[in-house]
Amino acid sequence: MKNKAIYPRTVSGNGKGARKSIGRPHLRLFAACLIGVTIVGILWWNLTGAQATVSTSDKEEVIATVDGESIVEQELQWQMKKLRSHTDGNLAMKTNLTDNREQALKASIQLKAQLLEAKRRGIVESVRYADFVSKWQSEQSRRKDAALSNGVVYGPIQVEEEQYYDFFVSDILAKLRDDMLAEKPFAQEDIAAYYNEHLAQYKKPNRLQTNMFVVAFGNDVTKDAAFRTAQAIADGLKRGEEAEKLLQVNSSKKVVLQQRAFNEQTAKQDTMNGTQVWRSVQTLREADVSNPIEENGSYYIFQCLALEDTGFLPLEKASAGINIVLMEAEFPRMTERWVKASTIELKSSTKQAE
């Protein structure tokens, strides 16, 4: 059927009610508009469809309270899902629903105690799950409106409730730790004790000048053959043979020799390229020769020509990082103290479930 039979129109002014078909340019414009309206309609349906699955946590059963603040079933289910994700390969843990609920309830109580501490410090206004759901819905609406108006939306247009709760909780707990760190809770003696106990972690990279042999494998050189060549070079260097002589002996085996420096300027790129070479080189002393090191499709052999020991990062520069490490270690103990200081009530149905 032709277009003029589908899209007729009356042309005024001829007195005869004559009909004339839409011209091709107009038809293309009409079709484009129709497609655009359809796409917007589909997008609107997809964006608003999420609202049909909104949580009804206000109507859910309260399974426990911490200082009067409720823990609802959906919070427990979120914790149970996290437990399942951490029990891969543990079939007994996966199948024991009672144990899962018991551990999830304990984790839910601990989290509520943490959130209540954040509330006391003014970091968050409410710790009710229903209020979180309202925030999530508002964020969904904001993303939907931004997408429909060609605004900027970071990440997916639609964020699942559980994913947004992960972000919500992580953000609040990070702010809680930062707030406590601002109070400088750790004595200088504790920071210094940690520094001295873990001094090796604060070793600054040595400055080295080396001979570096590279023996690549793949294509026409097998891995085994490359290793034998690399081992022969390492053994020759350890016997005191000259690097240039060893290069000539192995010239037909795609061996590369170059001088290679390791220092503060090269450290970032060195660790990005691979950590095995970096760690091995940092253990060398002057005149040492490394064993073959496999990395990035090649074997590497290093002969240390010169070494400068740069010492350790000073305590005053290491203190900020040590405070964070100490806080991560102390935070669970702080949480237990908050839980013990709280009034916890378990509902009867929860006790029966356990």
Side-chain angles (χ1 to χ4, degrees):
M1 185 175 294
K2 296 182 179 179
N3 286 334
K4 65 181 180 181
I6 301 175
Y7 306 113
R9 68 176 181 178
T10 301
V11 180
S12 60
N14 60 8
K16 297 181 180 179
R19 294 181 180 273
K20 183 177 180 181
S21 64
I22 293 179
R24 289 185 182 275
H26 295 80
L27 178 58
R28 285 196 293 268
L29 179 61
F30 179 83
C33 292
L34 181 61
I35 292 171
V37 170
T38 303
I39 291 174
V40 170
I42 293 172
L43 179 61
W44 180 272
W45 176 268
N46 288 335
L47 291 172
T48 56
Q51 302 305 314
T53 61
V54 163
S55 168
T56 55
S57 57
D58 276 332
K59 299 179 182 179
E60 289 179 348
E61 178 185 8
V62 174
I63 60 174
T65 60
V66 179
D67 284 344
E69 292 286 354
S70 62
I71 298 173
V72 297
E73 179 67 24
Q74 193 149 346
E75 293 174 270
L76 185 70
Q77 291 299 321
W78 179 74
Q79 292 285 5
M80 289 184 70
K81 186 174 181 179
K82 289 182 65 177
L83 279 173
R84 286 194 295 269
S85 69
H86 295 153
T87 55
D88 291 341
N90 190 336
L91 184 60
M93 185 64 185
K94 288 182 178 180
T95 56
N96 195 330
L97 182 61
T98 301
D99 286 348
N100 278 357
R101 281 188 67 88
E102 184 175 345
Q103 290 195 39
L105 178 59
K106 180 180 179 181
S108 297
I109 291 171
Q110 290 174 338
L111 176 58
K112 191 66 70 171
Q114 292 167 345
L115 295 177
L116 279 167
E117 179 64 21
K119 182 181 178 182
R120 284 190 286 270
R121 291 171 175 264
I123 297 170
V124 64
E125 294 181 359
S126 171
V127 298
R128 294 178 65 245
Y129 192 82
D131 290 336
F132 154 75
V133 171
S134 296
K135 291 179 180 292
W136 170 68
Q137 291 174 345
S138 297
E139 177 63 12
Q140 293 288 76
S141 297
R142 186 195 68 78
R143 287 172 173 268
K144 176 191 69 176
D145 294 342
L148 291 175
S149 60
N150 294 321
V152 176
V153 178
Y154 295 101
I157 295 174
Q158 179 177 326
V159 181
E160 297 298 328
E161 182 175 334
E162 289 183 351
Q163 294 174 341
Y164 195 69
Y165 195 57
D166 283 337
F167 168 78
F168 174 79
V169 168
S170 298
D171 183 58
I172 290 175
L173 296 186
K175 290 177 179 177
L176 175 57
R177 291 186 184 93
D178 288 344
D179 194 67
M180 291 189 294
L181 278 172
E183 298 173 350
K184 298 182 178 181
F186 305 111
Q188 191 62 31
E189 292 78 6
D190 295 330
I191 297 171
Y194 183 93
Y195 174 81
N196 292 323
E197 185 178 348
H198 301 84
L199 189 59
Q201 297 180 9
Y202 303 100
K203 178 70 177 68
K204 294 167 66 176
N206 290 329
R207 300 189 185 103
L208 299 100
Q209 189 68 32
T210 70
N211 276 330
M212 178 179 73
F213 282 89
V214 184
V215 185
F217 54 83
N219 297 327
D220 55 342
V221 179
T222 67
K223 185 175 180 180
D224 287 342
F227 177 78
R228 288 193 296 270
T229 300
Q231 188 64 63
I233 292 172
D235 291 342
L237 291 171
K238 291 176 183 179
R239 288 192 301 266
E241 297 182 31
E242 294 182 358
E244 290 76 9
K245 181 179 178 181
L246 290 168
L247 177 64
Q248 291 175 0
V249 171
N250 295 281
S251 59
S252 63
K253 300 176 182 178
K254 296 187 177 180
V255 176
V256 175
L257 169 63
Q258 64 185 63
Q259 288 209 341
R260 176 74 159 79
F262 292 87
N263 51 48
E264 297 92 334
Q265 287 71 40
T266 68
K268 183 177 181 180
Q269 188 62 46
D270 291 334
T271 52
M272 288 176 61
N273 289 340
T275 57
Q276 187 61 37
V277 163
W278 171 253
R279 284 197 296 262
S280 298
V281 167
Q282 289 298 313
T283 65
L284 295 179
R285 300 292 94 185
E286 193 162 348
D288 278 355
V289 176
S290 74
N291 290 319
I293 306 164
E294 181 187 346
E295 195 163 87
N296 300 327
S298 297
Y299 285 106
Y300 295 83
I301 307 98
F302 294 92
Q303 179 186 33
C304 182
L305 303 176
L307 169 68
E308 181 184 351
D309 192 326
T310 56
F312 297 87
L313 188 70
L315 174 59
E316 57 270 21
K317 290 189 177 181
S319 292
I322 293 175
N323 270 288
I324 294 173
V325 172
L326 293 177
M327 176 57 70
E328 289 299 319
E330 185 64 21
F331 194 67
R333 291 188 284 269
M334 292 179 175
T335 298
E336 288 301 321
R337 291 197 290 270
W338 297 332
V339 170
K340 288 180 181 179
S342 302
T343 301
I344 300 169
E345 180 182 354
L346 304 181
K347 301 304 180 181
S348 57
S349 59
T350 304
K351 295 176 182 178
Q352 292 172 3
E354 292 178 7

